[in-house]
Amino acid sequence: MVELLQGGAYLVGGREIIADTPEAQKAIFSKTGKEITKEDAAKQTISYGILESHNTSGSMDRLKIRFDKLTSHDITFVGIIQTARASGLTKFPMPYVLTNCHNSLCAVGGTINEDDHMFGLSCAKKYGGVYVPPHQAVIHQYAREMLAEGGGMILGSDSHTRYGALGTMAVGEGGPELVKQLLNQTYDINRPQVVGVYLTGAPVKGVGPQDVALAIIGAVFGNGYVKNKVMEFVGPGAAALSADFRIGIDVMTTETTCLSSIWETDEEVREFYEIHGRGEAYRKLSPGPAAYYDGMITVDLSKIRPMIAMPFHPSNTYTIEELNANLTDILEETEKRAKVSLGGARAADGSPLELRLRDKVKNGKFMVDQGIIAGCAGGGFENICAAADILKGSSIGCGGFTLSVYPASMPVYMELVRNGCAAAIMETGAVMKTAFCGPCFGAGDTPANNAFSIRHSTRNFPNREGSKLQNGQISSVALMDARSIAATAANGGVLTPATEYDGEMTKYQYHFDSKIYKNRVFDSEGIADPETEIQLGPNIKDWPRMEALPENLLLQVVSEIHDPVTTTDELIPSGETSSYRSNPLGLAEFTLSRKDPDYVARAKEIQKAEKERTAGGHPCRVLPVLKEVMGVIKKSFPETNHSNTGFGSTIFAVKPGDGSAREQAASCQKVLGGWANIANEYATKRYRSNLINWGMLPFLIEEGELPFRNLDYLFIPGIRRAVEEKADVIAAYAVGTDGLTAFELRLGELTDEERQIILKGCLINYNRVE
């Protein structure tokens, strides 16, 4: 089904894989009649050509990328533009699309969300951008329909910024990286490795793009096979897939932790562009005669079967047939894994919270409580049409099971109305809703307590869709393809793979209605109107002042997390908190609230000392315990005092940052006085970049027993000089009553610009125009 080649490989003629062995060069010569070095072959990937055409550094080892276009949604664009404004923004230097698909529930938090929308519209007018109103399109569907172009690059402030199936290399990053582009700076990375994904065969009836994606994620996530690399989809199997099908696989590559993705393009992709009135955006892309890949994944599409990703991660995958055949064993194993994710959480009455999936088994069948088909992954035209075919003539019943379908854009919705698929779905008792990302992050269709929801969406992390552990609420989400969700709904909520559906599957023709966007979307066509007044609601706040990195740091560990992976949803919850995304201090109150409810109070307590220090006072006055702590430090470092030492907090997590690109996972720690994270490893580049851009030190510590515990104080002398001088090893000390215990930290590779951002205290300070 999915196999991973250990080591690199050459793809010759786009169709033959030759492993990177001592005999490889001879085999390549026999096929091509040419000698080619590995270095030259690496330049023949599609990825290399796109990166080279967007690189401004003159070195393909150290890239400085300028993107063609930017896109953000309403959870992130306010903070991005506010940061850029503080740095002197006068005009968007490239097309920048502001969609409104996350904070679309305008009743949540009073008028807060609609104020964000009006801020976006006024900024699109003032700075020359594009504004997509609520319910018109989710961010990535609009980008596919209106922004993508062959050989182009797009940067988005959402982790699922993936348009590789259309020939666009797209990257999802935290907001500060978009700020850099708005200020005519660059995206600086080492040239990423490229992993080929070689497709063969064709999917059987009932298998959809989510099934293929989950099979790949299950094979590569745990071993980091594609982490921070580019996935390049090649091979004859792509020809068997429609553009919609490819898009559905592509958007889920984010869950592998890869950096980006790109696909070979063909007439199917050309047709997609032509349907959307943008035929000129098509470009034929394919690897050269002998392209070298740093790894190779082979996928036999004909062997993929309907998949399910059980709680609490997209990589926790099984075939639905396997799950149904081994219900007791797999559900018990999932419950055990859930205990790790839940971290011993207890309800308000003190009782332990447990995931009780085996309670869902009735008469040997696994019963599902809710189905959702939505967003950038599930809300595509073909997914919903296939679901309609499977559902046609059935009923979802009048019991507890519910089914909601969210088309990814209004043009998609319109075509579903015109071809009858929307009616077929609604006749079953299911509900059709407008384009909205809420179900993907807990702001819409949250399941009932202890309910089990199956979703064609992007993630099923803990604490995400509906769980609020401190209130005793827990729900669980499994990822599935729209086809199997429909088959389950048609079967009375009994978990059912779509391969059991024996009816006809119609191939519907799609017609894009361009009038919808022409009538509703504001497009400045790149013309700024400086006279436009920005509309600021009362919840839209500026970033608080942030200090430069001091000579020394005294940090208190205020949270210690030993889960194998910590997601951004655990660092800053999604869902109801989204109303406060434009209010840095208001949002910060929710930091780690579902993972470590004591974090905020602890961080604020040590932050008092830094606020007192920067105001010219003595930290010990507001936090007397520091007198004893500083006394211990002075025995070994007598020149240490509150004038040369900053006070703040840090957290330890084994592997933080999996999931969303939301910068707030880092910025909320920063505004609460956080100076650093300490980790064995960072789950994604984007989270580490967010830390750096908010002036936080991305410390690494070797795996093993920690030299400190939660609430301990850590002293890091000479940290400013260490950053300036590019020190590899950072000396640190755990402060005990009897003295200091030395240990080592590392910062990993940092660019010169990243070092300056950390030294200045954050990206805002680095760019600030006073």
Side-chain angles (χ1 to χ4, degrees):
M1 187 164 69
V2 179
E3 296 182 358
L4 311 181
L5 184 69
Q6 299 308 310
Y10 296 85
L11 183 64
V12 179
R15 293 296 180 265
E16 185 175 356
I17 298 171
I18 298 176
D20 184 15
T21 66
E23 294 77 32
Q25 295 298 326
K26 185 183 296 183
I28 294 170
F29 184 81
S30 69
K31 300 290 182 182
T32 65
K34 297 179 180 179
E35 293 184 359
I36 182 169
T37 65
K38 183 184 295 186
E39 291 72 21
D40 286 339
K43 298 176 182 179
Q44 294 191 24
T45 63
I46 302 169
S47 303
Y48 187 95
I50 294 176
L51 290 170
E52 184 179 41
S53 67
H54 290 79
N55 180 38
T56 65
S57 72
S59 167
M60 282 300 290
D61 293 323
R62 301 286 188 269
L63 304 177
K64 288 183 172 292
I65 300 295
R66 285 292 290 166
F67 288 84
D68 301 306
K69 299 170 185 176
L70 307 177
T71 186
S72 294
H73 52 63
D74 45 352
I75 275 183
T76 58
F77 67 59
V78 176
I80 291 168
I81 295 173
Q82 287 286 72
T83 301
R85 288 179 65 210
S87 304
L89 176 71
T90 58
K91 183 183 186 299
F92 295 154
M94 59 186 67
Y96 186 17
V97 175
L98 312 177
T99 63
N100 294 271
C101 50
H102 279 59
N103 283 358
S104 300
L105 291 176
C106 299
V108 178
T111 64
I112 289 173
N113 293 334
E114 189 65 7
D115 284 344
D116 287 352
H117 301 160
M118 293 302 98
F119 173 92
L121 177 57
S122 60
C123 287
K125 292 177 178 179
K126 184 178 186 68
Y127 299 121
V130 178
Y131 173 84
V132 183
H135 307 290
Q136 291 297 308
V138 301
I139 177 174
H140 303 308
Q141 185 65 16
Y142 186 85
R144 296 162 189 155
E145 294 169 350
M146 305 301 291
L147 297 183
E149 57 186 350
M153 291 191 73
I154 294 177
L155 183 65
S157 57
D158 184 271
S159 58
H160 290 97
T161 306
R162 292 285 189 270
Y163 318 125
L166 300 176
T168 302
M169 187 179 289
V171 179
E173 275 284 359
E177 291 299 332
L178 278 79
V179 172
K180 292 177 182 177
Q181 296 289 309
L182 291 174
L183 300 177
N184 293 303
Q185 296 165 8
T186 55
Y187 181 67
D188 300 347
I189 55 170
N190 293 335
R191 175 159 58 96
Q193 292 188 335
V194 182
V195 174
V197 185
Y198 190 79
L199 305 176
T200 61
V204 301
K205 189 179 79 171
V207 167
Q210 186 82 325
D211 299 315
V212 178
L214 292 178
I216 294 172
I217 294 165
V220 305
F221 175 81
N223 53 32
Y225 192 81
V226 298
K227 181 179 176 181
N228 294 333
K229 302 172 186 176
V230 177
M231 297 176 72
E232 185 160 310
F233 288 78
V234 293
L241 307 178
S242 68
D244 250 20
F245 202 113
R246 299 178 205 185
I247 286 168
I249 298 171
D250 186 64
V251 70
M252 291 297 291
T253 60
T254 296
E255 304 312 318
T256 68
T257 70
C258 75
L259 178 74
S260 187
S261 62
I262 196 70
W263 291 57
E264 283 189 274
T265 59
D266 56 16
E267 292 305 305
E268 187 74 26
V269 177
R270 182 195 297 274
E271 183 183 18
F272 178 94
Y273 280 115
E274 290 175 347
I275 286 170
H276 290 84
R278 299 195 302 119
E280 74 287 351
Y282 173 75
R283 179 179 162 194
K284 172 66 177 172
L285 299 174
S286 58
Y292 178 78
Y293 294 92
D294 299 285
M296 185 66 72
I297 303 166
T298 59
V299 182
D300 185 343
L301 295 168
S302 67
K303 293 182 179 179
I304 302 290
R305 292 297 178 266
M307 303 290 294
I308 183 168
M310 295 293 283
F312 284 114
H313 200 275
S315 64
N316 189 16
T317 54
Y318 304 89
T319 67
I320 296 176
E321 293 170 347
E322 178 186 10
L323 174 59
N324 282 335
N326 302 276
L327 275 175
T328 300
D329 291 344
I330 293 176
L331 295 181
E332 183 178 12
E333 177 62 26
T334 303
E335 289 170 348
K336 288 179 180 177
R337 291 186 185 184
K339 287 183 179 179
V340 175
S341 297
L342 297 175
R346 293 180 176 272
D349 63 3
S351 60
L353 282 178
E354 296 183 45
L355 193 64
R356 300 191 303 274
L357 296 179
R358 283 173 287 178
D359 292 353
K360 303 294 179 185
V361 180
K362 309 294 183 186
N363 300 319
K365 305 290 186 181
F366 190 83
M367 303 300 298
V368 173
D369 301 296
Q370 182 193 60
I372 303 288
I373 301 170
C376 58
F381 176 72
E382 289 183 4
N383 288 330
I384 298 175
C385 288
D389 280 348
I390 294 169
L391 285 165
K392 198 169 292 182
S394 65
S395 167
I396 69 167
C398 57
F401 180 84
T402 61
L403 175 63
S404 296
V405 180
Y406 294 74
S409 71
M410 196 55 75
V412 170
Y413 201 152
M414 179 66 80
E415 189 62 18
L416 294 169
V417 170
R418 287 173 173 158
N419 70 13
C421 286
I425 289 171
M426 288 189 287
E427 284 173 353
T428 71
V431 180
M432 293 286 292
K433 300 184 179 181
T434 52
F436 177 41
C437 298
C440 195
F441 66 95
D445 278 303
T446 53
N449 182 50
N450 218 26
F452 187 86
S453 178
I454 53 175
R455 302 189 172 204
H456 192 154
S457 59
T458 56
R459 293 195 173 116
N460 60 336
F461 294 163
N463 304 317
R464 190 170 172 90
E465 291 100 340
S467 295
K468 198 166 186 180
L469 305 184
Q470 65 269 34
N471 288 0
Q473 297 171 332
I474 184 172
S475 62
S476 52
V477 169
L479 302 183
M480 286 170 46
D481 189 84
R483 294 150 187 79
S484 292
I485 293 172
T488 298
N491 196 21
V494 176
L495 185 67
T496 305
T499 45
E500 293 186 7
Y501 171 70
D502 58 7
E504 293 298 317
M505 301 286 282
T506 306
K507 183 173 176 58
Y508 294 88
Q509 182 65 39
Y510 182 66
H511 304 91
F512 176 71
D513 189 342
S514 62
K515 295 188 185 70
I516 293 173
Y517 291 153
K518 288 179 181 176
N519 288 337
R520 192 71 188 99
V521 172
F522 170 80
D523 186 351
S524 70
E525 298 183 348
I527 300 172
D529 179 9
E531 301 305 313
T532 297
E533 183 177 348
I534 294 176
Q535 190 165 328
L536 293 163
N539 188 60
I540 298 175
K541 305 294 185 182
D542 290 331
W543 294 103
R545 177 182 172 84
M546 298 176 196
E547 302 297 328
L549 184 67
E551 183 179 334
N552 311 306
L553 279 177
L554 179 61
L555 305 178
Q556 186 178 29
V557 182
V558 292
S559 187
E560 187 180 346
I561 306 170
H562 289 274
D563 292 0
V565 179
T566 303
T567 70
T568 47
D569 286 283
E570 292 170 302
L571 293 165
I572 181 64
S574 52
E576 80 278 9
T577 64
S578 62
S579 293
Y580 295 92
R581 300 283 175 188
S582 305
N583 184 336
L585 292 173
L587 181 63
E589 294 293 326
F590 296 93
T591 312
L592 278 166
S593 59
R594 297 182 186 175
K595 192 67 182 175
D596 186 352
D598 295 325
Y599 166 81
V600 171
R602 290 169 176 167
K604 283 183 172 181
E605 186 69 9
I606 185 65
Q607 188 183 30
K608 290 178 184 177
E610 181 67 2
K611 287 184 175 179
E612 180 71 11
R613 183 184 81 89
T614 55
H618 200 295
C620 296
R621 189 181 70 81
V622 294
L623 205 59
V625 68
L626 292 180
K627 183 175 182 180
E628 180 181 349
V629 173
M630 291 295 286
V632 173
I633 294 170
K634 281 178 174 290
K635 292 177 181 178
S636 300
F637 297 89
E639 295 182 359
T640 302
N641 56 58
H642 68 273
S643 65
N644 60 22
T645 301
F647 300 81
S649 58
T650 187
I651 68 169
F652 169 80
V654 173
K655 188 178 179 180
D658 187 23
S660 171
R662 292 193 309 269
E663 65 183 278
Q664 293 93 343
S667 66
C668 283
Q669 295 177 55
K670 179 67 174 184
V671 301
L672 291 173
W675 277 111
N677 275 194
I678 303 175
N680 297 141
E681 176 187 356
Y682 290 97
T684 58
K685 176 203 171 294
R686 55 184 173 268
Y687 178 68
R688 183 175 182 271
S689 294
N690 283 336
L691 291 175
I692 294 166
N693 284 322
W694 285 106
M696 297 179 69
L697 294 150
F699 284 133
L700 292 166
I701 191 169
E702 293 292 331
E703 292 184 31
E705 186 175 350
L706 292 176
F708 54 80
R709 293 178 297 177
N710 201 22
L711 302 184
D712 280 357
Y713 288 91
L714 309 180
F715 179 58
I716 308 172
I719 182 60
R720 185 174 183 88
R721 183 182 302 111
V723 173
E724 290 172 336
E725 296 179 355
K726 305 181 181 181
D728 181 44
V729 177
I730 310 295
Y733 300 86
V735 184
T737 54
D738 298 329
L740 304 179
T741 301
F743 64 97
E744 292 182 350
L745 296 169
R746 284 178 166 78
L747 281 172
E749 186 174 0
L750 293 169
T751 67
D752 289 343
E753 182 187 53
E754 287 173 335
R755 290 180 184 278
Q756 288 301 312
I757 291 168
I758 290 172
L759 292 169
K760 295 278 189 179
C762 64
L763 183 66
I764 296 175
N765 294 352
Y766 176 78
N767 286 309
R768 187 180 296 277
V769 177
E770 298 295 348

